[in-house]
Amino acid sequence: DTGVSQDPRHKITKRGQNVTFRCDPISEHNRLYWYRQTLGQGPEFLTYFQNEAQLEKSRLLSDRFSAERPKGSFSTLEIQRTEQGDSAMYLCASSLAGGAGEFFGPGTRLTVL
Amino acid sequence: KQEVTQIPAALSVPEGENLVLNCSFTDSAIYNLQWFRQDPGKGLTSLLLIQSSQREQTSGRLNASLDKSSGRSTLYIAASQPGDSATYLCAVRKGTQGGSEKLVFGKGTKLTVNP
C-alpha cells in the first residue's frame, strides 16, 4: 500500500451535472476525512468517517453533497446538481484513531463550467 | 470557533538562508498541531506533528515548536534549498480525550527559495 489514492485526479463537468469521487485510504486506517480547498485558501473540513460511521459533517456540506464509506474501506463523495462555486480541489485523508496524524491523497480537481 | 493564521503569506529568500514560518491559533485547547507542505496542484505532505504535551519536533532540517498557552507554533527551516519551495500549511486539531476530530488549517505561507 503506497498511500491514499483518489480517482479521478481531474474532473470537468457542466453546471447541473452530478459527479462522484472515490478515495482509497491506507488499508489499516480506520478514519477517513474529506476536505475542500479553493485557490489561495487552506483546506476546509467537509466530513469524516470512523470505519463506516459518518461521525461529523461540516455546514459546508449542503444537501447536494453526500459521502459514504459502505464497508469501512474506500469512500465516495457525490455532488449533485453541481454549481460553479463547487469548483475546488477535493482532498481525502486517512489516519488511525488517536490523533496520529493524517495522510493526504493527491486530490481531485473539479472544474464546473 | 478556532481560527488559524499564518504569517507571512509569502516569503522569498536566497538559497542557504535559515527561515521561520509562523502560525497562531485562537483556541489553545488543541489536541495536536501539524505542519504540511503542498506543492502546486498537489496534495498535502505531512512534515511534523506535535502533540499538545510536546514543545517541539525535529525532522532533518526542519524544527517545529509549539507554545500552546500563547497559541503559537513556528516552523524553522535550516539552510533552505530551492527544493523547499512550496506552500507550508499549519493545522490544529481540537480533539477530545483520545479523540481525533477535524483539522483547522491556516491559509499557508508560500515559500520561494531562489538559487
Side-chain angles (χ1 to χ4, degrees):
Chain A
D1 192 321
T2 56
V4 180
S5 61
Q6 292 187 245
D7 185 70
R9 296 290 307 278
H10 303 274
K11 179 70 176 179
I12 300 174
T13 191
K14 294 182 178 179
R15 188 176 55 185
Q17 298 293 306
N18 299 341
V19 295
T20 300
F21 310 142
R22 176 178 170 127
C23 171
D24 286 89
I26 294 173
S27 58
E28 64 267 27
H29 285 182
N30 53 1
R31 293 202 172 194
L32 187 148
Y33 304 79
W34 286 98
Y35 290 84
R36 180 173 70 184
Q37 186 178 28
T38 54
L39 198 62
Q41 303 294 314
E44 294 176 292
F45 170 80
L46 293 178
T47 189
Y48 90 94
F49 294 83
Q50 178 155 320
N51 301 313
E52 65 275 12
Q54 189 172 19
L55 296 185
E56 187 175 354
K57 292 172 59 174
S58 165
R59 281 174 290 182
L60 292 174
L61 215 65
S62 74
D63 291 345
R64 296 185 298 105
F65 289 70
S66 62
E68 295 183 345
R69 193 182 184 198
K71 296 183 179 180
S73 57
F74 72 92
S75 175
T76 58
L77 178 67
E78 180 182 16
I79 309 174
Q80 297 182 328
R81 305 181 302 281
T82 52
E83 302 173 356
Q84 288 185 324
D86 297 331
S87 296
M89 175 79 87
Y90 289 83
L91 295 163
C92 176
S94 70
S95 74
L96 291 168
E102 278 89 339
F103 291 80
F104 278 78
T108 294
R109 169 76 66 189
L110 173 65
T111 301
V112 181
L113 301 176
Chain B
K1 178 186 174 185
Q2 178 72 272
E3 293 183 359
V4 179
T5 303
Q6 292 189 245
I7 295 173
L11 182 63
S12 182
V13 300
E15 182 177 4
E17 191 161 299
N18 302 326
L19 56 101
V20 174
L21 307 181
N22 296 292
C23 171
S24 62
F25 45 95
T26 54
D27 185 349
S28 62
I30 63 168
Y31 188 71
N32 58 34
L33 180 147
Q34 250 177 301
W35 282 93
F36 294 89
R37 168 186 172 137
Q38 186 173 33
D39 293 291
K42 301 292 178 67
L44 279 65
T45 300
S46 180
L47 298 173
L48 290 164
L49 171 71
I50 310 177
Q51 301 293 350
S52 61
S53 58
Q54 297 176 320
R55 297 281 297 181
E56 65 178 332
Q57 283 286 335
T58 299
S59 176
R61 295 181 295 109
L62 304 180
N63 176 275
S65 68
L66 173 63
D67 185 342
K68 201 174 86 162
S69 61
S70 67
R72 293 180 183 179
S73 176
T74 60
L75 179 66
Y76 175 81
I77 302 177
S80 58
Q81 302 171 358
D84 295 331
S85 298
T87 295
Y88 290 80
L89 292 156
C90 169
V92 298
R93 172 179 290 104
K94 180 181 177 179
T96 56
Q97 183 181 5
S100 175
E101 298 177 4
K102 65 182 180 183
L103 286 170
V104 178
F105 284 85
K107 292 184 178 181
T109 293
K110 184 176 181 180
L111 173 66
T112 303
V113 181
N114 302 299

